[in-house]
Amino acid sequence: VKQMIMGAGKTTVVAPLMALMLADGDALVLSVVPKALLEMSRTQMRETFANIMTKRVYTMKFERSTVVRPQMRLALANAARNRGVVVATPTSMKSVMLCYIETLRQLDELNQGQSVRATQREKAEELGKQAKELAGIISLFQGGVMLLDEVDLLLHPLKSELNFPLGEKHDLDCSESGERWSLPIHIFDAIFFATTGSASAFEERGVALDILRRVSAVLAEGFESKALQRLPHVTLLNLEWYHTALKPLLAEWVYMWLQKQHLHGISRQEAVTYMLEGAVARSEASGNVAAIEAALDKTEADLGLRYPISAAPPTASHLASMDPQERQSYEESAAMLLRETSSSLEEDPWRKGALEAELKELQAARGLGVKQRELFDALYDLDEELDAATHASAHRMAQIQQKIVIIQKQIAEIETPRDDSFDNHTVLLASSAFAQTHADPTALGGETAAVHHLAGKLEEMGFTVRRCGAWEEVVERTQQLQASGHLRCVIAGGEAMSCCKRGCSRSHNGKCVVCGQHWDNHSGHNCPDGRLGSWVIDGSHDGVKSIDYFKLIMTLLEEKEGSDDKPVPKSRIAMYAKISGLDEEKRLALWKTDVVVADEKDVLLEWVEAQQPWPHQQAKRGEEEEEREEEGEKEGEG
């Protein structure tokens, strides 16, 4: 049996039948199932082989810490001899093999030692016994039969691998005091603050609150500019935007975490710069050399080895423009100035000695500074080469991945052609009523019940209804459905209201939100058709954030510059005005934009049913009909 549909009897019929046929007293029959199905498969086997054809059903559990004993091998051999069935998980099977390899490795390490102590000898003997038992178990596996249930899960190339790490255990870096975990949590706090409005690590006040608010503002800009994706979770789409807009703020946020870890010795600016730019910049090393050379020039001038800083020598072009007499006069005055400096130092030998010592130190410092600058230059050159190579490699990898995605999409289109039966079939209902969650459907009342009833009627008509209770979800889902061609129309309206629930004993006025009939036509809270009725509780509201439906519709109709998202045609948007609290001014504005505004549910249902396929879908259907007609004509001529 290669493949059977779900519920056709693979586990309940085929697996027991195969176990009955293959258990011949020599081969061990193993039924390997996913961990989630272990209990169910074992129970099914025991129920099947409990009466007429009795077989014993064993359960094999094995993990890395299991102590291997002879009883385990003997139990499996007994199961094979008595034609029993062993139920196990794939993890247990793989653990047996890996434990056998690990035991042989430990034995090999002990045997390689030059001198074996008594304790090591005892450990080697124990490992030898375990290896022998594991070898016997594997031998039983090799001579047996394995039934794989849910083979697509058991042999999944990405999810079925089991690894045993080897070697001595070492703590992960920065795990002693929990920094390895607290830093990522601290960074996530800043990201989640934009949606939750709270942070777990710091109180929302002072500098922390200012940074969190700025991060929230930048995240909002990222969503607006499509640098971030909101659903199904926050996803970065533009790495350059992250480095320029978000990373500097996160560096400031991380500095607060460093302060909490008692960071000292460097300033805030130095820490933030290091996080953003790395170690010492090349310009700083060049600045150090320039400062040393300036101090060296001053010391040489004080020693009479060169002109004073205040009397800088003329340039080469200036000297070339002088006539011989001016040049001689300049040279004589320069020599006299240097002699005067030397003579003054001869009269003060202590100062001369200090300046000479300072000169030697500055010359040595200049040599070290120049060498440091050269090393930094070489380091940054290599870093730039590495960045360029990494960028080129990433660009090439992105191109290859893009080609792979295109080819995979083409293969998928060939293997599973697009199902156009869902085209123009999904109605998106936008209502804050869907943000409510009630276990009891009779807890839905008023406008909430009305919009739920509308959704139910649409589903009875055969349409797929997508219920959205938040602004962002409505916009995102609308764009996705429109891009896929599944969107039929968008209906907005309905607030989240509360009504009486099961156990209510008060009397009500008005119509029941379940059956639509008046209180007088009910027997208590029971509807005439036997259902439990429910009435709106005056002034009640579930605290769910309301949607500004007028603004939402205007957003869906708006054309955004620089965006690939197409506006929704006004002929495919409707407002359920009866349950939306729409004032006359907004109602008139919607009418002017040709958006349907309906007060009655039946009008909306007729409008939804009358929606025609999208233009490109109509064109495609026309082409398909023409092709069918041409094929029919050819067959008729044949």
Side-chain angles (χ1 to χ4, degrees):
V1 178
K2 293 184 178 180
Q3 185 175 359
M4 295 176 66
I5 64 173
M6 183 177 65
K10 299 186 294 294
T11 303
T12 57
V13 178
V14 177
L17 185 61
M18 294 293 292
L20 177 64
M21 296 170 59
L22 296 173
D24 56 3
D26 294 325
L28 176 65
V29 177
L30 287 159
S31 177
V32 181
V33 299
K35 184 178 180 181
L37 302 180
L38 178 65
E39 185 64 31
M40 186 269 289
S41 299
R42 179 174 57 193
T43 302
Q44 184 64 43
M45 285 287 186
R46 287 177 176 170
E47 290 177 353
T48 303
F49 297 117
N51 297 319
I52 301 175
M53 296 171 290
T54 58
K55 284 182 180 291
R56 186 171 179 183
V57 179
Y58 300 79
T59 304
M60 178 181 171
K61 293 183 180 180
F62 194 95
E63 56 187 15
R64 190 174 189 178
S65 59
T66 302
V67 179
V68 183
R69 304 186 185 278
Q71 291 82 349
M72 183 179 296
R73 177 183 56 80
L74 295 174
L76 293 174
N78 185 56
R81 186 168 52 252
N82 295 325
R83 304 185 180 188
V85 182
V86 178
V87 182
T89 62
T91 302
S92 298
M93 305 297 296
K94 296 169 188 174
S95 297
V96 172
M97 178 61 71
L98 291 177
C99 281
Y100 179 56
I101 296 173
E102 183 180 21
T103 304
L104 294 179
R105 180 177 178 273
Q106 292 174 349
L107 273 172
D108 187 55
E109 290 178 352
L110 289 175
N111 294 332
Q112 286 179 357
Q114 296 180 356
S115 59
V116 181
R117 298 179 182 178
T119 54
Q120 292 179 329
R121 191 180 299 110
E122 293 177 359
K123 185 176 180 181
E125 292 177 357
E126 181 65 26
L127 290 174
K129 294 179 181 178
Q130 291 188 15
K132 184 177 179 180
E133 296 299 332
L134 287 169
I137 294 174
I138 294 174
S139 178
L140 288 171
F141 290 167
Q142 291 175 340
V145 180
M146 188 178 296
L147 306 177
L148 301 180
D149 197 355
E150 303 294 345
V151 68
D152 56 331
L153 296 178
L154 302 186
L155 301 183
H156 193 286
L158 302 179
K159 301 178 181 178
S160 62
E161 190 175 275
L162 179 65
N163 295 307
F164 279 4
L166 300 176
E168 296 182 5
K169 295 181 180 180
H170 299 282
D171 290 334
L172 295 173
D173 294 337
C174 301
S175 62
E176 293 82 3
S177 301
E179 298 91 347
R180 190 181 184 92
W181 337 113
S182 61
L183 177 57
I185 293 173
H186 178 78
I187 297 175
F188 284 140
D189 254 356
I191 304 298
F192 292 140
F193 180 82
T195 54
T196 63
S198 62
S200 60
F202 281 83
E203 295 184 8
E204 299 89 14
R205 63 181 182 180
V207 178
L209 181 59
D210 177 62
I211 296 174
L212 291 172
R213 286 176 174 171
R214 285 188 288 153
V215 170
S216 300
V218 170
L219 290 176
E221 294 175 0
F223 291 126
E224 185 69 24
S225 62
K226 304 300 181 183
L228 293 174
Q229 177 177 302
R230 192 185 301 273
L231 297 175
H233 54 76
V234 178
T235 305
L236 179 65
L237 303 178
N238 189 333
L239 188 60
E240 183 180 355
W241 173 87
Y242 166 76
H243 285 293
T244 57
L246 184 58
K247 186 178 178 180
L249 294 177
L250 291 181
E252 295 183 31
W253 181 243
V254 170
Y255 177 73
M256 298 199 66
W257 178 85
L258 292 173
Q259 284 184 310
K260 192 176 180 181
Q261 310 305 317
H262 310 292
L263 175 70
H264 62 279
I266 60 174
S267 65
R268 178 179 182 275
Q269 185 61 36
E270 289 173 337
V272 173
T273 302
Y274 178 83
M275 285 185 279
L276 295 177
E277 301 178 5
V280 180
R282 186 185 310 190
S283 59
E284 186 174 344
S286 300
N288 292 338
V289 173
I292 294 173
E293 289 179 344
L296 188 60
D297 291 342
K298 182 178 182 304
T299 304
E300 289 178 347
D302 291 342
L303 284 170
L305 300 178
R306 57 165 295 159
Y307 269 93
I309 302 299
S310 58
T315 61
S317 59
H318 187 193
L319 286 173
S321 64
M322 292 181 181
D323 57 36
Q325 186 175 1
E326 287 178 342
R327 187 178 304 166
Q328 183 179 2
S329 174
Y330 165 73
E331 291 175 351
E332 289 177 356
S333 61
M336 184 170 55
L337 182 60
L338 293 176
R339 281 196 301 270
E340 289 176 359
T341 303
S342 300
S343 299
S344 63
L345 286 176
E346 293 297 337
E347 297 174 358
D348 191 354
W350 182 87
R351 183 169 180 269
K352 181 180 179 180
L355 288 174
E356 290 176 346
E358 183 179 353
L359 180 65
K360 291 180 180 179
E361 292 179 0
L362 288 173
Q363 289 174 340
R366 181 179 61 180
L368 293 175
V370 170
K371 186 176 181 180
Q372 183 190 40
R373 182 179 61 186
E374 293 173 351
L375 291 174
F376 270 117
D377 289 341
L379 177 63
Y380 276 90
D381 290 340
L382 291 174
D383 192 33
E384 290 175 359
E385 292 179 9
L386 178 62
D387 287 343
T390 304
H391 179 74
S393 176
H395 181 68
R396 177 60 179 163
M397 182 63 70
Q399 290 179 334
I400 294 174
Q401 289 177 344
Q402 187 176 8
K403 291 180 180 179
I404 291 174
V405 170
I406 294 173
I407 294 174
Q408 288 177 338
K409 185 177 180 180
Q410 293 173 348
I411 293 174
E413 290 176 352
I414 294 174
E415 292 180 345
T416 55
R418 182 178 182 273
D419 184 6
D420 57 3
S421 61
F422 289 101
D423 288 349
N424 197 39
H425 193 266
T426 302
V427 179
L428 190 143
L429 276 182
S431 173
S432 56
F434 296 129
Q436 286 179 295
T437 55
H438 289 284
D440 186 355
T442 62
L444 302 173
E447 302 177 9
T448 306
V451 73
H452 277 278
H453 290 166
L454 174 62
K457 286 292 184 181
L458 289 170
E459 289 175 339
E460 290 177 4
M461 295 168 64
F463 296 112
T464 301
V465 178
R466 174 75 70 170
R467 298 165 172 83
C468 298
W471 175 293
E472 297 82 3
E473 185 184 10
V474 173
V475 176
E476 195 82 19
R477 298 299 182 194
T478 302
Q479 294 168 357
Q480 293 175 358
L481 291 170
Q482 187 174 3
S484 65
H486 295 171
L487 181 68
R488 187 176 186 89
C489 57
V490 178
I491 300 176
E495 297 297 332
M497 303 295 291
S498 295
C499 65
C500 68
K501 303 179 182 180
R502 188 183 302 275
C504 177
S505 58
R506 74 177 86 178
S507 299
H508 301 280
N509 290 319
K511 294 182 178 180
C512 171
V513 300
V514 177
C515 66
Q517 298 191 34
H518 198 273
W519 168 261
D520 297 335
N521 298 329
H522 287 69
S523 175
H525 279 72
N526 296 320
C527 298
D529 57 6
R531 290 182 293 174
L532 181 64
S534 184
W535 281 260
V536 178
I537 301 175
D538 295 337
S540 65
H541 195 280
D542 269 8
V544 178
K545 185 178 180 180
S546 299
I547 298 176
D548 187 339
Y549 298 107
F550 178 80
K551 187 176 180 181
L552 173 63
I553 292 177
M554 293 296 107
T555 301
L556 295 177
L557 294 172
E558 180 184 2
E559 293 189 15
K560 298 181 180 179
E561 297 182 1
S563 176
D564 296 333
D565 300 330
K566 297 181 181 179
V568 180
K570 53 190 177 184
S571 61
R572 293 183 179 267
I573 300 180
M575 170 71 83
Y576 196 0
K578 180 179 180 180
I579 59 173
S580 303
L582 194 67
D583 57 38
E584 294 300 325
E585 183 180 352
K586 291 181 179 179
R587 184 188 293 261
L588 182 61
L590 289 176
W591 276 339
K592 288 182 178 180
T593 58
D594 293 333
V595 172
V596 173
V597 180
D599 291 312
E600 299 298 330
K601 179 171 58 179
D602 293 339
V603 175
L604 277 177
L605 295 176
E606 293 177 2
W607 173 78
V608 172
E609 193 171 16
Q611 289 293 328
Q612 297 298 316
W614 293 75
H616 67 277
Q617 295 172 358
Q618 287 180 334
K620 183 178 179 182
R621 291 181 181 179
E623 293 175 358
E624 292 176 351
E625 289 178 0
E626 291 178 1
E627 291 178 359
R628 285 194 293 268
E629 290 177 358
E630 291 176 359
E631 291 177 358
E633 292 176 358
K634 291 179 180 179
E635 291 178 359
E637 292 175 358

